Amino acid sequence: MKSKGILSIRRLVVVLIALQVCFLLLIGKLLFLQVIRDVSDTGRARYSAVSRKSTKVKRGKILDRHDTVLGLSRRTLTVSADPAYLKAVPKDVAKCLAPILGVPETQLLAQLKRKNKRFVILKRGVDYQMLPEIRELKKRFRGITYSVEQKRAYPKEQLASHVIGHVNAENVGEGIEYEYSDVLQGVPGGRLERHLPYPTHAPSDVNQKGYVNLLFSADESSNDVGYNVLLTLDEYIQYIAEKELAAACEKWKALRGTVIVLASQTGEVLAMANYPSFNPNAYTDANEEAKRNLAVWYAYEPGSIFKIIASSAALNEEVMTPSTSIFCENGRYRLSRQRVIKDVSRKGWLSLAEVLYKSSNIGMIKVVQEIGHECFRAYIEKYGFGRRTGIDLPHEHSGNLYAVKRWDSNSLGAVPFGQGILVTPLQMVNALNVIATGGKLLRPYITREILDSHGRSLKRMYPIEIRRVLRPEIARQMTEILVGVVEGGSGRRGRVEGYRVAGKTGTAQKAEKGVGYASGKETMSFMGFLPADNPQISILVMLDEPTGARFSGQIAAPLFQKVAEQTMRYLKQTDFFTPDLPTTLPTVTELQRTQPRHYAAEGEGL
């Protein structure tokens, strides 16, 4: 009896344990259904809502600084049919649709008579204004269907095409269309983060990791229209740059070229032109090479325009003055048994200023020997080379400073005059702009403002000072030296009537793999700013492999002159810099006080 009692108790314990396990499993199932699954479904619903909005919303506009439309979305219709439902009346349907779709009746009839087809597309890209007539036909003939789609259009065609870019269905693309895709799409709660390559004295919307945060709430735009992106570009200056660049490349048979125009005191990009170009309305038909934004993507050896780095470093470190004498070895200088550096012509004693006027490579090597490799490297990095500028455009190249970091006699015989390193045109003009700003390196930017569909400002971009590179008095000394280059040196063809221009020429031989520097293949540049006494614009022009003349002063300087002369005439006629572009940069404190909507505390929305 006792053993039976013990056995019954054991069975009861097992049953109770089993019941407890089942109860716990039941609780777990309820928890999953009521909490975890509910949260998951909420997330999926939110994602689904965003996805539906992303596909149905009308993408925002891209505008120049004066609200000229450069890119916009137009609604179009795709008209389809199910031939199975139209067997009895295909002729009537074709006759009614032909004038609406602009398609021959015979072509439509052939589509509608296709056997074993339950769905045929009759025409894509039908004018949205045809919607009422198509709706009437849909009521009359069962089997006609339509869908509303978006088509991106660019009214100015090739103008600023490399800046505007494109984006495909997989959100891959180029330019502003890609960089600000979520903003243009108006995704609720959308967030755009861009990493800045520099530690900056940045406003509060740049977080501790160096990311720019653009936060938008769902009610800041219409339900079916995205946000608009207002660029810093000026339509007319962009037109000047593109027109003159294309003419120069065709005249000198250059493979490619670029022109960049900056607002000197803010770093705003007023024009960014590239050759060859393309029409974004026919993007798929364009040559792939023509789609590249050379201004930020093309890395090249800059040549003698790079001489401003060592010269300004020597002055800023008080190692030399503009009048310091340098012996240029009568045009031939042996660095090692294998390396002899030659100037274009024999030169003896020259001052530092004259080394730049006459663009002596030997003289610049002597300057770098005087200041030392470490100092030279420090200034190269201070000027921003070797890292991206941080401009709000995709696929920016950082350049390459390998020869600077692995310093040897070959580096000494190349880097001081812009060989053996790679820079981008934007890096180079931004370095020149340090002198125009009185010694400050700015972050260039090309987006001025984010607007909602009603034109209300959601986000305003402001200049950011990255660091001070030169003392103001040294920047003034460098300005006068560069004025001398244009007035009486290698840059005489870059003079602009009525203005003092500070500029520098650059001709760099091109290296080929397995060959070294190829004879007759060169990149020619000219960069400058004006007016020299109160800089307003900084310009760089670059032509790749032009033919017909030997030096950049003959090819690149005239292109600079044409762009600068027309731009200055336009700026004067329009009072362009009053009051839009400030002559001094506001401090972060001033921005937070005067623009609280745009510069809220860290983590706050707009």
Short mmCIF file of all heavy atoms in Angstrom, two decimals, residues 255 419 507-524 544-550:
data_model
loop_
_atom_site.label_atom_id
_atom_site.label_comp_id
_atom_site.label_asym_id
_atom_site.label_seq_id
_atom_site.Cartn_x
_atom_site.Cartn_y
_atom_site.Cartn_z
N LEU A 255 40.75 65.91 -74.25
CA LEU A 255 39.91 64.75 -73.96
C LEU A 255 38.78 65.08 -72.99
O LEU A 255 37.66 64.59 -73.12
CB LEU A 255 40.76 63.62 -73.35
CG LEU A 255 41.84 63.01 -74.23
CD1 LEU A 255 42.58 61.92 -73.46
CD2 LEU A 255 41.25 62.45 -75.51
N GLN A 419 53.94 67.18 -59.08
CA GLN A 419 54.00 65.87 -59.74
C GLN A 419 54.12 64.81 -58.66
O GLN A 419 54.55 65.08 -57.53
CB GLN A 419 55.18 65.78 -60.70
CG GLN A 419 55.14 66.80 -61.83
CD GLN A 419 54.47 66.30 -63.10
OE1 GLN A 419 54.62 66.89 -64.16
NE2 GLN A 419 53.72 65.24 -63.02
N THR A 507 51.26 73.25 -65.69
CA THR A 507 51.34 72.25 -66.75
C THR A 507 52.00 71.01 -66.17
O THR A 507 53.12 71.08 -65.67
CB THR A 507 52.17 72.76 -67.95
OG1 THR A 507 51.59 73.97 -68.45
CG2 THR A 507 52.20 71.72 -69.06
N ALA A 508 51.29 69.88 -66.20
CA ALA A 508 51.81 68.65 -65.60
C ALA A 508 51.86 67.55 -66.65
O ALA A 508 50.86 67.28 -67.32
CB ALA A 508 50.94 68.21 -64.43
N GLN A 509 53.02 66.91 -66.78
CA GLN A 509 53.11 65.73 -67.64
C GLN A 509 52.27 64.60 -67.05
O GLN A 509 52.15 64.46 -65.84
CB GLN A 509 54.56 65.27 -67.76
CG GLN A 509 55.45 66.20 -68.56
CD GLN A 509 56.88 65.66 -68.61
OE1 GLN A 509 57.59 65.67 -67.62
NE2 GLN A 509 57.29 65.19 -69.78
N LYS A 510 51.71 63.79 -67.93
CA LYS A 510 50.88 62.67 -67.48
C LYS A 510 51.70 61.38 -67.46
O LYS A 510 52.45 61.10 -68.38
CB LYS A 510 49.67 62.50 -68.41
CG LYS A 510 48.66 63.63 -68.31
CD LYS A 510 47.42 63.32 -69.11
CE LYS A 510 46.64 62.18 -68.50
NZ LYS A 510 45.36 61.94 -69.20
N ALA A 511 51.54 60.64 -66.38
CA ALA A 511 52.24 59.36 -66.25
C ALA A 511 51.39 58.23 -66.83
O ALA A 511 50.16 58.23 -66.69
CB ALA A 511 52.53 59.09 -64.78
N GLU A 512 52.05 57.30 -67.50
CA GLU A 512 51.39 56.12 -68.04
C GLU A 512 52.03 54.87 -67.43
O GLU A 512 53.25 54.81 -67.24
CB GLU A 512 51.50 56.08 -69.56
CG GLU A 512 50.70 57.17 -70.25
CD GLU A 512 50.71 57.02 -71.76
OE1 GLU A 512 51.54 56.23 -72.28
OE2 GLU A 512 49.90 57.68 -72.43
N LYS A 513 51.20 53.88 -67.14
CA LYS A 513 51.67 52.66 -66.50
C LYS A 513 52.70 51.95 -67.38
O LYS A 513 52.46 51.71 -68.55
CB LYS A 513 50.48 51.74 -66.23
CG LYS A 513 50.83 50.54 -65.37
CD LYS A 513 49.59 49.73 -65.03
CE LYS A 513 49.93 48.56 -64.14
NZ LYS A 513 48.72 47.77 -63.78
N GLY A 514 53.86 51.65 -66.79
CA GLY A 514 54.91 50.94 -67.50
C GLY A 514 55.76 51.81 -68.40
O GLY A 514 56.73 51.35 -68.99
N VAL A 515 55.40 53.10 -68.52
CA VAL A 515 56.12 54.01 -69.42
C VAL A 515 56.77 55.16 -68.66
O VAL A 515 57.85 55.62 -68.99
CB VAL A 515 55.16 54.58 -70.50
CG1 VAL A 515 55.89 55.57 -71.40
CG2 VAL A 515 54.57 53.44 -71.33
N GLY A 516 56.08 55.61 -67.59
CA GLY A 516 56.53 56.83 -66.90
C GLY A 516 55.81 58.03 -67.49
O GLY A 516 54.70 57.91 -68.02
N TYR A 517 56.44 59.18 -67.42
CA TYR A 517 55.82 60.39 -67.95
C TYR A 517 55.90 60.37 -69.48
O TYR A 517 56.97 60.30 -70.06
CB TYR A 517 56.47 61.64 -67.37
CG TYR A 517 56.09 61.85 -65.93
CD1 TYR A 517 57.00 61.59 -64.89
CD2 TYR A 517 54.83 62.28 -65.59
CE1 TYR A 517 56.64 61.75 -63.57
CE2 TYR A 517 54.46 62.45 -64.27
CZ TYR A 517 55.36 62.19 -63.27
OH TYR A 517 54.99 62.35 -61.96
N ALA A 518 54.72 60.45 -70.11
CA ALA A 518 54.63 60.33 -71.56
C ALA A 518 54.87 61.68 -72.21
O ALA A 518 54.35 62.71 -71.77
CB ALA A 518 53.25 59.81 -71.95
N SER A 519 55.63 61.68 -73.27
CA SER A 519 55.92 62.91 -74.00
C SER A 519 54.68 63.38 -74.76
O SER A 519 54.01 62.59 -75.43
CB SER A 519 57.07 62.66 -74.98
OG SER A 519 57.32 63.81 -75.76
N GLY A 520 54.36 64.67 -74.61
CA GLY A 520 53.26 65.25 -75.37
C GLY A 520 51.90 65.09 -74.74
O GLY A 520 50.90 65.60 -75.26
N LYS A 521 51.81 64.38 -73.59
CA LYS A 521 50.53 64.22 -72.90
C LYS A 521 50.59 64.98 -71.58
O LYS A 521 51.36 64.62 -70.69
CB LYS A 521 50.22 62.75 -72.65
CG LYS A 521 49.93 61.97 -73.93
CD LYS A 521 49.45 60.57 -73.61
CE LYS A 521 49.06 59.83 -74.89
NZ LYS A 521 48.53 58.48 -74.60
N GLU A 522 49.77 66.02 -71.48
CA GLU A 522 49.85 66.91 -70.32
C GLU A 522 48.45 67.33 -69.86
O GLU A 522 47.50 67.30 -70.64
CB GLU A 522 50.66 68.16 -70.66
CG GLU A 522 52.13 67.85 -70.91
CD GLU A 522 52.76 68.79 -71.93
OE1 GLU A 522 52.02 69.34 -72.76
OE2 GLU A 522 53.99 68.94 -71.90
N THR A 523 48.38 67.70 -68.61
CA THR A 523 47.19 68.33 -68.04
C THR A 523 47.52 69.79 -67.78
O THR A 523 48.53 70.09 -67.14
CB THR A 523 46.77 67.65 -66.73
OG1 THR A 523 46.55 66.26 -66.97
CG2 THR A 523 45.50 68.27 -66.19
N MET A 524 46.69 70.69 -68.30
CA MET A 524 46.98 72.12 -68.18
C MET A 524 45.89 72.81 -67.35
O MET A 524 44.70 72.60 -67.59
CB MET A 524 47.09 72.76 -69.55
CG MET A 524 48.23 72.20 -70.37
SD MET A 524 48.52 73.15 -71.89
CE MET A 524 49.89 72.22 -72.60
N ASP A 544 42.47 68.37 -70.04
CA ASP A 544 43.27 67.14 -70.06
C ASP A 544 43.69 66.81 -71.50
O ASP A 544 42.87 66.64 -72.38
CB ASP A 544 42.44 65.99 -69.48
CG ASP A 544 43.26 64.73 -69.31
OD1 ASP A 544 44.48 64.85 -69.10
OD2 ASP A 544 42.68 63.63 -69.39
N GLU A 545 45.00 66.74 -71.69
CA GLU A 545 45.63 66.40 -72.97
C GLU A 545 45.20 67.32 -74.13
O GLU A 545 44.82 66.83 -75.20
CB GLU A 545 45.37 64.94 -73.33
CG GLU A 545 46.07 63.96 -72.41
CD GLU A 545 45.99 62.52 -72.92
OE1 GLU A 545 45.97 62.33 -74.15
OE2 GLU A 545 45.95 61.61 -72.08
N PRO A 546 45.27 68.63 -73.93
CA PRO A 546 45.03 69.52 -75.07
C PRO A 546 46.22 69.46 -76.03
O PRO A 546 47.32 69.08 -75.64
CB PRO A 546 44.91 70.89 -74.42
CG PRO A 546 45.76 70.80 -73.19
CD PRO A 546 45.63 69.38 -72.71
N THR A 547 45.99 69.84 -77.27
CA THR A 547 47.07 69.85 -78.27
C THR A 547 47.10 71.21 -78.96
O THR A 547 46.10 71.94 -78.97
CB THR A 547 46.86 68.76 -79.32
OG1 THR A 547 45.60 68.97 -79.98
CG2 THR A 547 46.85 67.38 -78.69
N GLY A 548 48.25 71.53 -79.54
CA GLY A 548 48.34 72.76 -80.32
C GLY A 548 49.15 73.85 -79.68
O GLY A 548 49.49 74.84 -80.33
N ALA A 549 49.49 73.73 -78.39
CA ALA A 549 50.33 74.72 -77.71
C ALA A 549 51.04 74.00 -76.57
O ALA A 549 50.59 72.95 -76.08
CB ALA A 549 49.52 75.89 -77.19
N ARG A 550 52.15 74.59 -76.11
CA ARG A 550 53.03 73.88 -75.17
C ARG A 550 52.72 74.16 -73.71
O ARG A 550 52.92 73.29 -72.86
CB ARG A 550 54.49 74.25 -75.47
CG ARG A 550 55.49 73.42 -74.70
CD ARG A 550 56.92 73.80 -75.05
NE ARG A 550 57.87 73.01 -74.28
CZ ARG A 550 59.18 73.22 -74.29
NH1 ARG A 550 59.68 74.21 -75.04
NH2 ARG A 550 59.99 72.47 -73.56
#
